[in-house]
Amino acid sequence: VRDLSTSGSHTCAVRQDGAVFCWGSGNHGQLGNSLNLASQLPVAVETSLPVQPLGGGAGCATATDCPDDGLPCTIATCVNNQCAHTAANEGAGCDDGDPCTAGDACANGNCAAKPANCDDANACTADVCASGTGICTPAPLPGGGACSDGKVCVDGVCTASAVGFAGSVAAGANHSVAGLRNGQARTWGGNNEGQLGTGTKSEAFEMTPVTNAEDVWRVAAGDNTTGALALSKNASALALWGRGGDGAIGNGKNADALLWTATEGPTAPAALSNLGRHVCALDTAGKAWCWGDNGSGQIGDGTTTLRNKPTAVVGLAGAVLDISAGVKHTCAALFDGSVQCWGQNNLAQVGKPGGGSFKAPQTVTGVAKAVAVGAGSDSSCALLTDGGVLCWGDGSKGHLGNGKTALSAAA
């Protein structure tokens, strides 16, 4: 797994080969498997046209009453007044949708693949169809070679610089987003506030292109807000879309954005985080910026005033290595290894006893040598240099991973 993101209801991961899998709640299509059904196991995010579920034993009088399940080698039939699907004629032509197969034919109700040549159109890969499987396997070409527009090949990706961008994924409240290795972005799931970035509010049950997205390096998803960190040839920039009533788009307005919208700063962003209704980012100097909902002080500027533009976090003890915007609190890992959090603290998620909230950064007791941090709904965790993990806050559902279900204000 090269990237992982979880929300309150579902989780998505990018496999090393770039394939995306999701699991958990799927009532808005956020699993991307053409169905609005939940799954307790990882399911591949589909890129083909959506398939409508049969609905399990729907009543019928004739076969014409039964819906097509969308599979190329099955036929809808009516058996004992119940809809069912039977295998199509052996040898009937079909298309399994795999660009690495040709001359496909139905066999035992499945579309049998025959290997063929393929090309993923990536100038930085040499593509081979795996014998007997028909799977198109891209092999990265040696790094440093030119590909297009002055870019170079880095680990099989046509990239603006040697820094490169890897495939990334993020799970929002009821939608998901993936940053592709070609710099584009795809979204799927709920879209009631434009969080898919397609210019409409229609849900999508499969990967859908984000309009105008380009040079995407990392992605983030929150409560119906989606963000992208774009790395172009000469500079980096942030863009967001979706829910904007709390100022989370960062463009100086308190309105939803149905399309990719540039934020008003910060200059030279290097990281982006969004889980709730506020967004945080880091610049290349290690300075932290946040904007959006600030009702619990989660912006960290000493106030509870909504901010619709990137606002500097005040009171940090040093330069920031990593930042995570939770639902109503924020945490940052500093270069000295310490962790500071601010915002809602009703369940000690800021790392302080006594509840309440904090409008400025607070140092979490017991954390040293932290290299990354994660802020969730009511708990927080830090990854340490030795690979260890420390967590604090709400433990009622085993969130803290310490074998207990009690609240903890200390890591």
Side-chain angles (χ1 to χ4, degrees), residues 127-316:
D127 309 310
V128 179
C129 286
S131 177
T133 66
I135 298 176
C136 189
T137 304
L141 294 174
C147 46
S148 65
D149 299 327
K151 298 179 180 180
V152 297
C153 293
V154 179
D155 296 330
V157 180
C158 194
T159 307
S161 70
V163 175
F165 54 83
S168 63
V169 68
N174 62 10
H175 75 293
S176 309
V177 58
L180 306 186
R181 286 176 289 178
N182 63 1
Q184 298 178 357
R186 297 287 188 272
T187 51
W188 59 96
N191 195 30
N192 56 306
E193 294 181 278
Q195 59 264 41
L196 299 189
T198 58
T200 73
K201 291 189 177 183
S202 300
E203 292 186 341
F205 296 102
E206 62 181 43
M207 280 190 175
T208 303
V210 175
T211 305
N212 300 327
E214 59 181 2
D215 297 322
V216 173
W217 179 32
R218 301 292 298 178
V219 293
D223 187 0
N224 295 350
T225 302
T226 312
L229 172 57
L231 179 67
S232 66
K233 182 178 180 181
N234 299 313
S236 58
L238 295 178
L240 289 110
W241 56 94
R243 179 188 176 92
D246 301 297
I249 303 301
N251 62 342
K253 301 178 181 179
N254 302 334
D256 295 348
L258 305 186
L259 294 169
W260 172 286
T261 303
T263 65
E264 295 190 11
T267 303
L272 176 68
S273 179
N274 170 218
L275 180 62
R277 296 183 178 180
H278 75 293
V279 183
C280 292
L282 297 179
D283 61 25
T284 53
K287 187 174 182 179
W289 304 77
C290 296
W291 60 97
D293 180 30
N294 195 27
S296 298
Q298 58 265 50
I299 302 301
D301 65 344
T303 76
T304 55
T305 302
L306 179 150
R307 303 296 184 185
N308 56 23
K309 295 182 181 180
T311 301
V313 177
V314 297
L316 287 164

Side-chain angles (χ1 to χ4, degrees), residues 7 22 25-26 42 46 53 65 113 122 152 172 176 179 244 273 283 289 339 347 354:
S7 73
C22 296
S25 177
E46 298 180 5
D65 298 330
N122 185 346
V152 297
S176 309
S273 179
D283 61 25
W289 304 77
V339 169
L347 293 171

